[in-house]
Amino acid sequence: MYRYDEFDERFVRERVDQFRTQIARRLDGSLSEDEFKPLRLKNGLYLQLHAYMLRIAVPYGTMSGRQLRQLAKIAREYDKGYGHFTTRQNLQFNWPKLKDIPAILDLLADVEMHAIQTSGNCIRNTTADQFSGVAADESEDPRPTAELLRQWSSQHPEFVWLPRKFKIAVTGAEHDRAAIKVHDIGLKLKRNEAGEPGYEISVGGGLGRTPMIGKVIREFLPKDELLAYVEAIMRVYNAEGRRDNKFKARVKILVHETGAEEFTRRVEDEYAKLDGPTINAPQEEIERIAAYFAAPDYEDLPAESVTLDSARREDAGLDRFVEQNGFAHKQPGYIAFTVSLKPVGGVPGDMSADQMDAFADIAEKYSLGELRVTHSQNLVLPYVKKDDVPALYTELKAHGLATANAGLVTDIIACPGLDYCALATAKSIPIAQEIAKTFADDARQKEIGELPIKISGCINACGHHHVGAIGILGLEKGGRENYQITIGGDATEHASLGERLGPGIDGEDVPGAIEAIVETYLGEKQGSESFIETVRRVGADPFKTRFASFVEERSKALEAAE
Amino acid sequence: MTIISAEGERPNAYTIVETADEAKSASKPLVPLALASEIEVPAIPYGLLVPNDAPVDEIAQHFSSVDLIAVTFPAFADGRGFSLAKRLRREGFEGTLRASGPLIADQFADALACGFDEVDLPDTMANRQPVQQWLEMKDSMTVHYQTGFGEGQSILQQRLAARKEAAQ
Ligand code: SF4
């Protein structure tokens, strides 16, 4: 993985000192609260419902065991003994004190981490495929691009006062696990007909109140022109994005209101005027960064492991874990694993300090010291030898980290919702917990198969409900929490937005409604179709019909009870 | 108003004018863009006051007769002025570029890096954030990644130079 050189180190250290000065200037009155707010946000510090929250960047979701151990230390010394992984591959601490923030940032800098631009109206942490570098279906590793963008976007003099936040994602695989179509900029690594490397660039995707799928504005951009082209996009957005209404300020609205064609023309116009070679990274720099992501020294191993195969025959739990959470690796004899942070009844994405320490050890012992964070709030061990899997499984199990539900109905994404978030209109974590309990039975989960459920506690959509195969949106209606259900959302290369099934329902009815939807799927399913494939084939109608009768049954039952 | 440049406080030579008559009598008028397009300003070179969403082409028509362009910042968090400054420099404006409005000291380095020479700060702001603070905040970071911004070499350029030196 990438390692800081003296410049990166100095940048992060100076930035911590700068923030220390800013806090002092807030306290002595030089900065007003309004002026201080964006400064603290750009250093990852939010004011939540009950306390400050510090959001730490995990660049493109890659972390070392050493870094995770440091996070455990911070969780223990400055928070309540746990951290929370987010849908942007970041980590949040929900209870730090303002006075401790500089000390925490120092501890982060000690392990080459920071909280820069994890919030505020600026370019946020660039995200990438969590299986970068190891996925069998990958054509090119997106991490060097993401790292280049991390550096370039850090404290960019021109683009830290944007109309609104700005998110970039990169993928280099056929199957899009980075959800690039719902990002402000989505980059797909590709090759042109001549075989030269470059990017397909889409702009204007996003969720939130007005969900939109990004539009391709450049079919092919040569790889070495990236920074100049992104600068052109950013300049057009910074100059023309709406500032009169914060709900219309994202670039998706600009693209929508000006039209994709006209927007593209303006970007190309700007691009033609700027002096690309003075902006782009020199080839040596691109190579320097890429070298950090070269494949590790893999051992020469047979593709199949006799040890693992026989252990799987003897241990049904291990067998199920490998089947569900294992992920095909580029390298023969190796396998990657999703480590679920969604135990039934737990808080999606939470990890205790003890688990972090244990997992840091596990990553060092079994995965070359590296782990990844996924945007579905899970972790990944990218470099596991198949021969080691039985031992790894035993250790994961000992720490409550062997839940075999990756991608299943209980692997739910939920935003913090009313438990933490000041903007929330409804709970989301408790809803996730109730659904997980309803479907806790392993055999049943397996029968249902892949079914990503995503829950947001308000229309800001941090839980990405629009792109959940089943999406749940918590609102407030007449003083009660009310949940809208959508189906058919998808964040992959088949990106689509979910469709509403009917009226909103009470929180206590959500698990029942999900059961009704799942039954409909199992009834309609053909062959080995997944939930989303069935929805794509039959459409939403059968689900709407079943949902309507569910709602009616529930209201009759309620009347009878009264 | 207080004018702050990278070297510290500076005197101000320009007076904002609102009418053609005022523009004629002022020795160094600061003329709003809309007015400058309507009248002949006698005192050449003069200053041009432009909103942060003014089209660059329209401003560029006046380049030959102005020696200062003041870009207004309606609020410190409105970053349009940074992009406008960058574009004005690219179009070849070589006079003084001024950022006018309630900026904060924490933006000084960025403003300079985007091509501004000075900030025209309302007095209420200058009282809270005196010139000394501006100069300190300007130097709070000594490295930057972006090539083409600011005076010193970017981190990317410094790396390249270090590599070349090591190779020799
Ligand atoms: S979706 Fe709403 S409730 Fe959930 S974290 Fe985002 S802002 Fe908060």
Side-chain angles (χ1 to χ4, degrees):
Chain A
M1 57 189 279
Y2 187 72
R3 297 299 310 262
Y4 283 7
D5 67 359
E6 57 185 304
F7 298 106
D8 300 307
E9 164 92 14
R10 198 188 320 161
F11 178 85
V12 169
R13 295 279 179 197
E14 287 183 358
R15 175 77 178 219
V16 176
D17 286 340
Q18 184 189 54
F19 189 45
R20 209 177 246 121
T21 320
Q22 287 165 335
I23 293 176
R25 286 169 53 241
R26 169 66 198 118
L27 294 175
D28 74 16
S30 301
L31 286 165
S32 71
E33 189 53 39
D34 282 351
E35 289 161 356
F36 178 62
K37 184 178 168 191
L39 302 176
R40 76 163 154 74
L41 288 176
K42 280 161 196 167
N43 284 286
L45 193 60
Y46 269 84
L47 198 51
Q48 294 257 66
L49 208 48
H50 311 288
Y52 278 105
M53 176 268 276
L54 182 66
R55 183 182 291 157
I56 290 154
V58 182
Y60 35 95
T62 300
M63 216 195 299
S64 68
R66 171 169 167 256
Q67 292 174 323
L68 186 60
R69 219 172 268 119
Q70 189 81 330
L71 295 174
K73 179 183 158 83
I74 295 170
R76 223 173 257 124
E77 291 178 12
Y78 295 102
D79 205 284
K80 293 190 177 178
Y82 67 94
H84 178 80
F85 288 100
T86 77
T87 53
R88 279 207 71 67
Q89 302 178 310
N90 290 323
L91 178 103
Q92 292 180 183
F93 286 120
N94 284 315
W95 308 97
K97 297 200 178 53
L98 180 59
K99 68 169 175 48
D100 293 333
I101 298 299
I104 296 175
L105 295 178
D106 279 337
L107 284 173
L108 289 173
D110 289 346
V111 293
E112 304 176 19
M113 293 185 88
H114 60 72
I116 298 168
Q117 289 171 212
T118 52
S119 177
N121 295 336
C122 52
I123 303 172
R124 304 286 189 86
N125 184 23
T126 300
T127 50
D129 186 345
Q130 67 267 22
F131 292 112
S132 297
V134 302
D137 70 341
E138 181 177 271
S139 50
E140 200 167 336
D141 191 339
R143 290 171 301 169
T145 297
E147 174 59 26
L148 182 65
L149 287 169
R150 181 191 74 81
Q151 298 188 18
W152 171 83
S153 62
S154 291
Q155 207 159 342
H156 194 294
E158 188 178 343
F159 306 131
V160 274
W161 303 94
L162 299 172
R164 210 56 183 93
K165 59 187 168 188
F166 201 94
K167 300 176 178 179
I168 305 177
V170 201
T171 184
E174 261 330 294
H175 182 60
D176 174 14
R177 284 171 293 263
I180 62 167
K181 289 289 181 183
V182 290
H183 279 76
D184 296 282
I185 293 181
L187 300 173
K188 183 181 174 196
L189 283 146
K190 68 188 278 195
R191 293 200 173 246
N192 66 5
E193 275 147 26
E196 293 148 351
Y199 303 94
E200 177 188 281
I201 299 185
S202 35
V203 177
L207 299 173
R209 289 167 195 248
T210 325
M212 285 188 193
I213 305 292
K215 312 274 184 309
V216 174
I217 69 161
R218 193 44 123 90
E219 294 284 347
F220 184 81
L221 179 83
K223 196 167 176 211
D224 53 0
E225 297 179 31
L226 180 69
L227 295 186
Y229 199 82
V230 175
E231 184 169 310
I233 297 172
M234 297 312 301
R235 185 163 297 131
V236 170
Y237 171 56
N238 190 40
E240 299 178 32
R242 286 182 62 173
R243 291 179 190 256
D244 58 330
N245 180 343
K246 109 178 221 215
F247 301 120
K248 296 195 187 302
R250 295 285 292 269
V251 72
K252 63 187 173 190
I253 304 288
L254 180 65
V255 173
H256 182 71
E257 287 181 352
T258 47
E261 225 169 277
E262 171 62 15
F263 179 82
T264 307
R265 195 192 60 74
R266 290 182 200 177
V267 170
E268 290 291 340
D269 228 37
E270 174 63 33
Y271 187 58
K273 282 186 188 145
L274 50 71
D275 182 6
T278 63
I279 299 159
N280 287 315
Q283 191 53 33
E284 290 94 328
E285 177 65 10
I286 293 175
E287 283 164 14
R288 185 190 74 88
I289 292 175
Y292 286 102
F293 301 99
D297 285 332
Y298 288 119
E299 287 174 38
D300 254 332
L301 297 171
E304 293 312 320
S305 154
V306 182
T307 321
L308 176 57
D309 290 347
S310 71
R312 283 181 73 168
R313 280 192 295 274
E314 265 150 47
D315 182 343
L318 168 68
D319 184 53
R320 184 72 197 110
F321 177 73
V322 176
E323 179 188 11
Q324 194 59 45
N325 291 28
F327 183 84
H329 206 288
K330 268 183 183 167
Q331 180 70 18
Y334 283 76
I335 183 169
F337 277 101
T338 299
V339 174
S340 167
L341 296 180
K342 320 284 180 62
V344 168
V347 176
D350 268 11
M351 195 178 205
S352 72
D354 290 347
Q355 282 180 323
M356 288 184 205
D357 275 337
F359 197 69
D361 293 344
I362 288 172
E364 280 166 2
K365 203 158 151 194
Y366 298 106
S367 183
L368 305 176
E370 190 180 317
L371 59 124
R372 309 276 174 81
V373 184
T374 80
H375 73 88
S376 48
Q377 303 176 287
N378 290 319
L379 300 178
V380 161
L381 289 170
Y383 306 111
V384 180
K385 277 191 268 183
K386 285 184 177 169
D387 292 341
D388 286 344
V389 174
L392 165 68
Y393 176 68
T394 309
E395 288 198 39
L396 287 174
K397 221 162 78 173
H399 298 284
L401 292 167
T403 312
N405 67 347
L408 296 181
V409 59
T410 57
D411 182 5
I412 300 168
I413 292 185
C415 80
L418 211 47
D419 293 275
Y420 297 100
C421 177
L423 303 171
T425 42
K427 294 187 286 287
S428 49
I429 293 170
I431 299 292
Q433 290 168 326
E434 285 308 314
I435 296 171
K437 277 186 210 149
T438 307
F439 291 97
D441 182 64
D442 282 332
R444 190 174 181 203
Q445 289 192 51
K446 187 180 168 183
E447 187 201 354
I448 299 166
E450 190 179 337
L451 177 44
I453 298 183
K454 305 186 188 225
I455 311 177
S456 304
C458 81
I459 55 173
N460 288 320
C462 305
H464 303 174
H465 64 275
H466 300 294
V467 289
I470 296 179
I472 302 172
L473 165 62
L475 297 169
E476 192 245 80
K477 201 173 148 197
R480 281 177 74 85
E481 289 166 44
N482 185 271
Y483 294 85
Q484 287 180 357
I485 317 275
T486 52
I487 62 162
D490 186 346
T492 69
E493 66 278 15
H494 308 293
S496 64
L497 303 170
E499 186 177 337
R500 250 178 81 180
L501 286 184
I505 55 175
D506 281 350
E508 61 189 46
D509 289 339
V510 172
I514 306 298
E515 284 191 294
I517 295 168
V518 166
E519 277 162 26
T520 313
Y521 154 60
L522 293 175
E524 296 283 345
K525 168 179 178 174
Q526 284 181 1
S528 60
E529 257 177 3
S530 69
F531 178 87
I532 188 76
E533 286 164 348
T534 300
V535 175
R536 262 187 231 131
R537 181 175 53 80
V538 304
D541 283 346
F543 295 90
K544 284 185 180 163
T545 313
R546 180 72 187 83
F547 184 76
S549 55
F550 171 80
V551 172
E552 198 179 327
E553 282 157 32
R554 284 300 298 158
S555 68
K556 277 200 194 127
L558 263 182
E559 261 172 49
E562 269 167 13
Chain B
M1 58 164 41
T2 304
I3 309 287
I4 305 172
S5 77
E7 285 77 45
E9 192 168 346
R10 256 188 198 178
N12 171 43
Y14 299 81
T15 326
I16 297 186
V17 297
E18 268 155 22
T19 63
D21 285 347
E22 282 177 27
K24 270 179 203 133
S25 53
S27 67
K28 213 52 175 148
L30 185 56
V31 188
L33 180 61
L35 185 61
S37 305
E38 274 169 29
I39 61 163
E40 290 263 322
V41 182
I44 286 181
Y46 60 95
L48 192 65
L49 182 64
V50 304
N52 64 2
D53 59 353
V56 178
D57 303 348
E58 201 182 319
I59 303 173
Q61 291 167 14
H62 303 274
F63 277 2
S64 58
S65 42
V66 303
D67 59 356
L68 174 139
I69 297 177
V71 178
T72 52
F73 279 70
F76 76 99
D78 183 339
R80 280 177 283 193
F82 295 112
S83 286
L84 183 55
K86 192 77 187 154
R87 282 173 160 162
L88 290 174
R89 287 298 187 209
R90 186 174 67 204
E91 287 300 306
F93 181 67
E94 286 176 356
T96 303
L97 253 189
R98 171 187 285 190
S100 258
L103 281 84
I104 55 177
D106 310 74
Q107 296 174 304
F108 197 22
D110 292 346
L112 297 172
C114 289
F116 285 109
D117 301 292
E118 58 187 37
V119 176
D120 163 15
L121 203 59
D123 284 332
T124 46
M125 292 289 305
N127 292 341
R128 258 197 300 122
Q129 296 177 20
V131 177
Q132 195 48 38
Q133 242 181 58
W134 282 72
L135 298 179
E136 278 164 23
M137 288 317 290
K138 172 175 77 69
D139 295 329
S140 61
M141 301 288 295
T142 63
V143 284
H144 61 99
Y145 287 104
Q146 303 77 16
T147 308
F149 286 83
E151 286 181 352
Q153 290 205 316
S154 73
I155 289 176
L156 271 55
Q157 289 170 315
Q158 292 185 55
R159 280 178 182 147
L160 198 59
R163 216 171 296 127
K164 286 208 174 115
E165 200 170 298
Q168 274 169 12

